[in-house]
Structure formats: C-alpha cells, structure tokens
Amino acid sequence: MTITQEQATWFAQTFSQLADNVERAVLGKRRVVELVLTAMLSDGHVLLEDVPGTGKTSLARAMAQSVQGTNTRIQFTPDLLPGDITGISVYDQKSGTFEFHAGPVFANIVLADEINRASPKTQAALLEVMEEGRVTVDGVSRQVGVPFLVLATQNPVEQAGTYRLPEAQLDRFLMRTSLGYPDHAATVRILDGAAVATSDLPAVITPQALVGMADLAANVYVDALVLDYIARLVDGTRSADEVRLGVSIRGALALTRATRTRAASQGRTYATPDDVKALAVAVLSHRLILQPEAEFDGVTPEAVVGQVLLDVAPPTRREATV
C-alpha cells in the first residue's frame, strides 16, 4: 500500500521536528543529523569518521532523548571481548540455572566508539546484531531494541594499534559520514552556552511511533525510471577505472531504502532522482575498493561517486506519482 499525501505531510513535519530537536544539542550540523535520522528510519546504521571532540556522543544521546529511546556507549579497545558487547550467560548457584546478562548492545541507539580498535572477532560480534537486530548466545536468539541504530565511530587520523574494518563489515553500514568541526558562527554559539544539554531535550516521538514512520517510508513509490537510475549509478561505480571493487547489490538496495525515506521527509509520496543524488555519496562511497594506483594518486571514493553522478544522466521525464 502506497503512502498517502496526508501521511507524507505528517512524516515530513515529524522528521523536521526531530531534526530541530537534535540540532539544539548538536549545533550547526543539520545535514548530518538528517542523514542519521534517514538511516534510522531506513533500518540502517551509520559509520562516523571523525577526530575526537566533534560531538558524536552528544549526537547519539540527543537522538535517544528525542525518540524516548535507550542509549548505550561501548568503548572499543584491543582487549574487548564479544561477550562484553552481546552479554553472557552466568550460572546461578541458587537456582542451578544459567541466567543471561544482557550486554550494552541491547538498546535503541548504540554508540560503538572507535570500532576499529577492537579485534576482528569482537567487531564481528556486531555483524549479526546490525543485520538481524538480534543476539544469539548459547543457542538462544534475543531481539535487541526496536528501533535499533548503531552509530559506529573511527578516527581517520590516528591509526596506530587499529584493525582495518573488513569490506563485509563496511557494507553493513547504510551510510558513512562525518560531523567535522562546526563553522565559526556555530562555534561562537557553543562557547556562549547555546547548546542544550542532551539530558534536557524533550521527547518528540515514541519508539513505537518511530517504527510506524519507518513503515510509512517503506511504502513510498519509486518509479521504474528511478530504479533504473540507481542501477546505472551502481554499474558506473563498477566500471570506473579507479575502482577495483564496485558497489554490491546490498549497496543498491540501501540507496533505494534511503531514497524512499528522504522522499517522505520532503513531504512527497514518490521518490525523484534528486533524492538519489542527495544520498549517493553517503550511501555508496564507503562500499568502494579503489585501485592501489588511484589511492596513491590521492583519489577518494567520494570523488569517484561524485564523478559517476556527473557521468550518469538522470531520467529526463518526470517520475509518475500515485
């Protein structure tokens, strides 16, 4: 069933209220806030590549406050074990049974700080949770929070003692983006104390209503021409000279889901090529593996996706609406 115009209007208003609320704590970062909200409403996760002190923890807490959700923070270190994330079964001598002690991954929004500092085995403990929304310990599967969003961070500058994220894990993230430093005006406002403490933010929506928003976004109409455009963009990343491995079909599906959500956030019942263009770099760039020669020459995945957007012509006739 396709989303109605009335539902799309409500979706856009609520989306804007959520973004406004989060931006009260994370000043001057509207674009990133909207990307993270889009990912959460598209049943996806976000990788933030940033230096310390740019507001990643504040962003996660502000998101949780805005949706009346729970929030946890996991500091990834080389000695972190998979059970430290998922939880473990502890033997109770009184009852003679094993009791499950839930780990920090059982929350609506999980901040996985410096994920690349943990061993590959510990990183892999997140994979099932990110993909399936559940944890399996001792043969028993348990659902985590609904909605569920992993905000993982890694420091792009300090790489000593880190483990490179494997492509299979990077592909699990719907988007990769960066908060970066605030501009001058936002910096002055922060220094003046204008940023609201995350604990003081009011709730905008309940977790159940947020799940309803995600269901509405999944019913946004995407014309065959827009789907063809997404497919041609993905093909363009695979045939680019600088690319050794292009975007997978999972990446194409992720871009389609995010496109639907962005269309709803603009108050539309249908997606357009502009929705695809607005999200392509954030959704596709981290899925590319460049040729060693291109990396040596300073080519970035973002630049490759940007060039593909220039080379691949969008549909010319207006998409059909319903």
Side-chain angles (χ1 to χ4, degrees):
M1 186 179 70
T2 308
I3 184 174
T4 66
Q5 184 57 55
E6 183 181 1
Q7 290 171 326
T9 302
W10 172 82
F11 187 106
Q13 292 172 346
T14 308
F15 187 94
S16 180
Q17 290 172 2
L18 282 167
D20 289 342
N21 202 51
V22 174
E23 202 181 13
R24 293 174 61 194
V26 187
L27 299 181
K29 295 298 174 184
R30 181 75 177 203
R31 164 72 175 164
V32 179
V33 169
E34 290 183 347
L35 283 177
V36 174
L37 281 172
T38 299
M40 183 162 64
L41 290 165
S42 306
D43 193 28
H45 310 285
V46 180
L47 178 64
L48 294 174
E49 283 198 341
D50 259 317
V51 296
T54 52
K56 300 181 290 292
T57 303
S58 295
L59 174 62
R61 289 176 177 169
M63 292 278 293
Q65 283 285 115
S66 298
V67 301
Q68 291 185 18
T70 54
N71 166 239
T72 57
R73 181 177 182 271
I74 308 171
Q75 183 64 53
F76 279 68
T77 56
D79 60 346
L80 193 72
L81 299 175
D84 297 330
I85 298 173
T86 60
I88 58 173
S89 294
V90 178
Y91 183 71
D92 188 337
Q93 290 184 335
K94 290 184 179 180
S95 63
T97 59
F98 283 92
E99 290 186 359
F100 179 70
H101 289 214
V105 80
F106 285 85
N108 296 119
I109 297 177
V110 178
L111 179 65
D113 208 7
E114 294 195 289
I115 187 174
N116 55 333
R117 291 204 175 277
S119 67
K121 183 177 182 179
T122 302
Q123 292 178 17
L126 270 181
L127 284 181
E128 182 193 11
V129 195
M130 291 170 62
E131 192 73 10
E132 307 292 341
R134 66 187 179 193
V135 167
T136 302
V137 177
D138 296 333
V140 179
S141 293
R142 298 174 174 86
Q143 293 295 126
V144 294
V146 178
F148 179 64
L149 170 72
V150 173
L151 271 176
T153 76
Q154 63 175 353
N155 187 340
V157 178
E158 179 54 64
Q159 296 296 321
T162 65
Y163 299 85
R164 184 187 179 106
L165 296 184
E167 285 69 29
Q169 187 167 349
L170 284 173
D171 210 25
R172 293 301 200 281
F173 289 100
L174 184 79
M175 298 181 188
R176 180 180 67 179
T177 187
S178 171
L179 272 169
Y181 294 123
D183 59 25
H184 178 76
T187 300
V188 172
R189 292 176 60 205
I190 292 170
L191 296 178
D192 195 38
V196 177
T198 53
S199 58
D200 295 334
L201 287 178
V204 175
I205 195 173
T206 64
Q208 293 75 20
L210 194 76
V211 172
M213 287 182 70
D215 291 339
L216 288 177
N219 288 318
V220 167
Y221 175 73
V222 183
D223 190 77
L225 287 175
V226 179
L227 294 176
D228 177 73
Y229 180 49
I230 292 173
R232 287 188 289 118
L233 287 175
V234 170
D235 288 338
T237 67
R238 297 170 183 167
S239 59
D241 294 335
E242 305 91 344
V243 176
R244 181 158 58 93
L245 184 65
V247 175
S248 67
I249 189 64
R250 182 188 283 127
L253 289 168
L255 182 55
T256 305
R257 292 203 315 271
T259 295
R260 283 189 164 100
T261 302
R262 187 183 188 276
S265 73
Q266 303 300 306
R268 282 184 275 103
T269 61
Y270 58 93
T272 70
D274 286 339
D275 295 320
V276 178
K277 290 179 182 178
L279 297 167
V281 173
V283 175
L284 302 182
S285 62
H286 63 288
R287 305 173 194 271
L288 302 181
I289 300 178
L290 300 182
Q291 296 284 5
E293 298 83 1
E295 286 188 294
F296 183 77
D297 291 339
V299 176
T300 64
E302 291 79 8
V304 172
V305 175
Q307 187 59 49
V308 170
L309 285 170
L310 293 175
D311 294 341
V312 177
T316 52
R317 78 170 174 85
R318 188 176 183 275
E319 285 66 45
T321 64
V322 293

